[in-house]
Amino acid sequence: MSARPARRAARRPLRAAAAPDAAGRRIPPPPAMTTARAAPRRTATAKGKASDAPAPAGPPAVWRPGVDAVDDGEALQYDPTAYDTLHAFALKWPCLSFDVLPDALGERRTEFPHTMFLAAGTQAASRAANTVSLLRLARLGRAGHGLDAPGSSSEDSDSDGDDDDPVLHARSVSVASGVNRVRSAPAAPGLVAAWLENGSVAVYDMRGGLGELEAADDNKPTRPRAAKQPPLASASHGVEGYGLDWSRAAPGRLAAGDCGAGLRVWDPRDGGASWAVSAPLTGGHTASVEDVQWSPTEGTVLATGSADASIAVWDTRAKGRPQLTVPRAHAADVNVITWSRLATYMLASGGDDGAVAVWDLRSLKAGADVARLAHHRGPVTSLEWSPHESSMLVSCGEDAQTAVWDLAVERDPDEEAALGAGAAAADAVPPQLLFVHAGQADVKEAHWHPHIPGMLAATAADGFNVFRPANL
């Protein structure tokens, strides 16, 4: 695995011991140390030992990651009623990146149990052990959370078919390199692009494996296997990278940004059986192109975020420099950007400075961000707008937090006055911060599910969490 300069800490490879192979096995229980805003309770214990006793009655004392310490004689207990569901699972090796696949199981699904499909790429100890995998997670019930949580007023209510254990199926392709980023084509789930550590971008046709997963019998676990399948197409950048995105407005169109400040566009040809890869588009950035996002409505327009702290908006019909540039979008590297599909003039960015900035593309310039959200105590590693609520975002940081934001929330002085002593705690938390999920080690990416409102998945060095906050 290649070395990273210190300044690129937000994108360093994951390093973890191998876990048992996941295909066809049951998903283990959720981690014991998962925390949520307004959910963790501080509980005094005897002689500093952790206590299994219930938290005291009354309002919980909220523990804020990065703000509050855990004193001697105290233990953190997460409140399962803060989640509608929470599951954890791991592949054999950790994944730096993954994607949630669209499916045909129905829009705006709310009833448990749920089924979802993911694409993921590994960071194994040896190059030959790496894979790109498609995953099917089935029977995702409440798992003792939300209405089914112990002590919930609805504990004895119908559990929505939550009696069966969840199951994970996988189909994998061997890849002779660590995977920096993986994205599935929106119009062709199972067509998976991967940014590899060896400096190339490869597209794998895994639609056959996806069909097998869709037909899998959850009562008959499948044996794990990794097929040896050459990529459908590949192109070398000569240097590795991270920026990768499929266009929704122009199906089959792909863009990739590399650590050498280059940006290439893949145009489909021969009915999508091959691609013509452009020469590098340069002149927009002076350092690594960390992230790429296509416009959700225009097939020739895309945005990039760079380690030179800038954001650029390009039109591929205009060769050369970008059409718009924000030279000082952050105080340090811009690690991630996200373009809203619901409010298509809104862009957001996350940087090494720990900030999340929100931009109006109709007035894009330095210092003109419409919001700057300061909560993460480390570089922001992932950022994505909600596909169901135009004002919501999810962000991840190197502070081991996955945060959910709602830009529509404003501070209410009257409500804070009613809190009394609790108003001081409110001052330390941005009003737009709805939920904080913690407990994962070295969290790297989080994504919303396109068909299950409020459902999120996050990957970290110790595996995946799939969860839905109860307050969304």
Side-chain angles (χ1 to χ4, degrees):
M1 299 167 71
S2 61
R4 294 281 188 281
R7 70 177 184 83
R8 293 181 50 75
R11 288 285 166 235
R12 69 177 183 272
L14 294 170
R15 300 181 186 276
D21 213 318
R25 66 179 178 85
R26 299 193 184 281
I27 302 175
M33 259 313 306
T34 303
T35 59
R37 183 186 175 204
R41 303 168 185 254
R42 305 174 69 118
T43 306
T45 61
K47 298 181 181 179
K49 295 181 180 179
S51 171
D52 293 330
V62 179
W63 177 75
R64 297 159 298 173
V67 177
D68 298 324
V70 180
D71 298 330
D72 291 340
E74 286 188 323
L76 293 176
Q77 297 179 337
Y78 92 99
D79 184 353
T81 63
Y83 296 86
D84 285 337
T85 185
L86 171 61
H87 295 271
F89 71 96
L91 302 185
K92 186 174 183 178
W93 298 102
C95 299
L96 179 69
S97 178
F98 76 104
D99 202 5
V100 181
L101 277 60
D103 57 51
L105 301 179
E107 295 293 332
R108 301 192 73 89
R109 307 197 294 270
T110 58
E111 294 186 3
F112 289 95
H114 289 295
T115 297
M116 60 193 300
F117 297 86
L118 309 178
T122 63
Q123 290 268 331
S126 66
R127 290 181 180 270
N130 283 293
T131 61
V132 171
S133 299
L134 296 182
L135 313 174
R136 177 173 181 251
L137 284 65
R139 297 177 178 171
L140 296 176
R142 292 187 183 275
H145 294 83
L147 297 178
D148 293 345
S152 168
S153 59
S154 304
E155 185 178 355
D156 297 327
S157 65
D158 181 10
S159 60
D160 293 328
D162 195 18
D163 295 332
D164 295 325
D165 291 333
V167 175
L168 171 63
H169 298 278
R171 293 292 184 273
S172 302
V173 171
S174 295
V175 180
S177 178
V179 181
N180 289 343
R181 187 158 290 176
V182 63
R183 293 291 181 262
S184 175
L191 193 64
V192 180
W195 238 126
L196 305 179
E197 280 189 336
N198 63 14
S200 67
V201 175
V203 176
Y204 296 90
D205 188 350
M206 302 181 68
R207 287 172 285 190
L210 179 58
E212 293 177 5
L213 292 178
E214 291 171 337
D217 185 347
D218 295 330
N219 295 313
K220 297 179 179 178
T222 53
R223 179 171 297 178
R225 59 186 176 87
K228 294 187 180 298
Q229 175 185 320
L232 185 62
S234 65
S236 175
H237 282 237
V239 62
E240 66 177 314
Y242 297 89
L244 191 65
D245 194 35
W246 293 95
S247 172
R248 293 177 179 273
R253 206 162 201 217
L254 181 69
D258 62 46
C259 294
L263 173 67
R264 295 177 187 258
V265 175
W266 294 43
D267 283 310
R269 61 186 183 186
D270 301 328
S274 62
W275 284 263
V277 182
S278 74
L281 301 177
T282 57
H285 296 295
T286 59
S288 172
V289 178
E290 295 285 86
D291 206 3
V292 177
Q293 284 276 285
W294 284 101
S295 162
T297 58
E298 299 181 69
T300 63
V301 177
L302 71 159
T304 52
S306 171
D308 64 10
S310 74
I311 295 171
V313 179
W314 308 70
D315 190 325
T316 58
R317 295 169 297 183
K319 306 299 182 184
R321 293 188 172 275
Q323 308 302 106
L324 297 169
T325 301
V326 181
R328 296 174 299 281
H330 285 261
D333 301 16
V334 176
N335 293 326
V336 286
I337 57 174
T338 178
W339 199 321
S340 174
R341 286 180 250 157
L342 299 180
T344 57
Y345 53 87
M346 299 300 289
L347 190 78
S349 58
D352 263 3
D353 55 4
V356 173
V358 181
W359 309 87
D360 188 329
L361 290 166
R362 299 168 298 185
S363 56
L364 186 65
K365 59 182 179 181
D369 48 283
V370 298
R372 191 161 290 257
L373 308 172
H375 172 72
H376 286 291
R377 266 64 181 179
V380 177
T381 61
S382 180
L383 191 63
E384 186 171 276
W385 290 100
S386 166
H388 296 105
E389 299 290 342
S390 62
S391 60
M392 280 192 183
L393 286 156
V394 63
S395 63
C396 294
E398 283 207 338
D399 54 0
Q401 297 186 56
T402 299
V404 179
W405 306 85
D406 189 346
L407 301 180
V409 176
E410 296 181 356
R411 178 152 279 165
D412 187 335
D414 294 335
E415 182 178 341
E416 290 183 6
L419 288 174
D427 286 338
V429 178
Q432 297 85 5
L433 184 60
L434 290 188
F435 194 90
V436 172
H437 173 78
Q440 290 183 275
D442 204 5
V443 62
K444 289 299 182 182
E445 265 188 21
H447 298 292
W448 301 90
H449 196 285
H451 309 304
I452 307 174
M455 186 72 85
L456 288 155
T459 186
D462 52 0
F464 290 83
N465 280 186
V466 176
F467 62 96
R468 189 171 77 183
N471 64 339
L472 300 191

